[in-house]
Amino acid sequence: MTDSGHCVLRDVILCSPVGEILLSGCEKGVHTINIKLGTDKEESVRPVGQSEMSPELQCCVDWLQCYFMKPESISTFPLPAIHHPQMQSDSFKAHVLWTLLKEVGLGKTVSYKQLAEMIGNPNAVRAVGSAMKKNPIPLVVPCHRVLRSSGDSGSYMGGKGDDIKVWLLTHEKKALELNASKSE
């Protein structure tokens, strides 16, 4: 923190199976995750170039590596700290995003309507959709797990990342199947 109380943000770029991911955060946690469209997709997950990372950003890198490479183990991995200002507030949007993060685990999905009901406001379906659209920390806060009531995946990243949403849901489903086969 600087004397004025503002966070000192650092960035790191990761290559990943969904393209480059730009992480931004401070010493208290992650502020944003931005999946960069139109970038090369790679099997591995690793930082691009050298950048000085806070322990909290390193934790997010480790979490994303686990999510992409060993998703069946993600439930045992500590979540990265989140320090985006909107996520620190008592706003409707923050409530929706925290509920999604805490209640909808790997491989699970909910509809916008179900998520509105989960937060105790069944008439707030459009507002829930708006919160998903403005999620500053996708992947960690899994807005890709929110579907239309019809079961259709709906749009992701303003409709430009629909293929990424389908890939993420398929990736998680495979991890659940792997877990189920291990426990038989």
Side-chain angles (χ1 to χ4, degrees):
M1 297 287 265
T2 62
D3 290 338
S4 62
H6 294 290
C7 295
V8 176
L9 295 178
R10 297 203 184 279
D11 296 333
V12 63
I13 296 174
L14 299 178
C15 64
S16 83
V18 296
E20 284 186 1
I21 299 172
L22 174 64
L23 304 177
S24 181
C26 69
E27 66 281 353
K28 290 188 176 184
V30 179
H31 282 242
T32 59
I33 295 176
N34 184 2
I35 302 168
K36 298 168 91 181
L37 294 169
T39 56
D40 290 339
K41 296 168 171 62
E42 296 192 23
E43 292 291 317
S44 64
V45 180
R46 59 181 171 72
V48 175
Q50 290 294 326
S51 55
E52 190 178 317
M53 281 187 264
S54 69
E56 292 305 332
L57 266 184
Q58 183 63 59
C59 179
C60 189
V61 168
D62 295 344
W63 188 92
L64 287 167
Q65 287 174 324
C66 182
Y67 174 80
F68 283 113
M69 307 313 292
K70 293 183 68 174
E72 67 279 3
S73 304
I74 200 68
S75 64
T76 63
F77 218 83
L79 274 170
I82 296 172
H83 198 248
H84 187 280
Q86 290 175 329
M87 295 293 288
Q88 305 304 312
S89 73
D90 194 23
S91 68
F92 174 84
K93 178 179 159 188
H95 183 53
V96 170
L97 295 173
W98 281 112
T99 299
L100 175 63
L101 175 63
K102 292 174 183 171
E103 303 295 328
V104 185
L106 184 81
K108 307 279 193 269
T109 58
V110 294
S111 68
Y112 294 96
K113 182 175 178 24
Q114 288 170 318
L115 188 53
E117 290 167 353
M118 289 167 73
I119 62 161
N121 194 341
N123 296 323
V125 176
R126 285 181 183 257
V128 164
S130 178
M132 294 304 102
K133 193 178 217 177
K134 295 176 182 151
N135 177 9
I137 310 167
L139 303 173
V140 174
V141 177
C143 55
H144 62 276
R145 297 180 188 153
V146 183
L147 310 175
R148 293 183 175 147
S149 293
S150 66
D152 179 50
S153 67
S155 67
Y156 191 63
M157 298 171 67
K160 296 177 182 143
D162 295 355
D163 59 325
I164 294 171
K165 183 172 186 170
V166 170
W167 187 94
L168 292 169
L169 292 170
T170 303
H171 175 67
E172 291 185 8
K173 186 177 179 189
K174 287 178 190 170
L176 282 187
E177 291 167 358
L178 183 61
N179 272 347
S181 68
K182 281 182 180 177
S183 63
E184 289 177 352

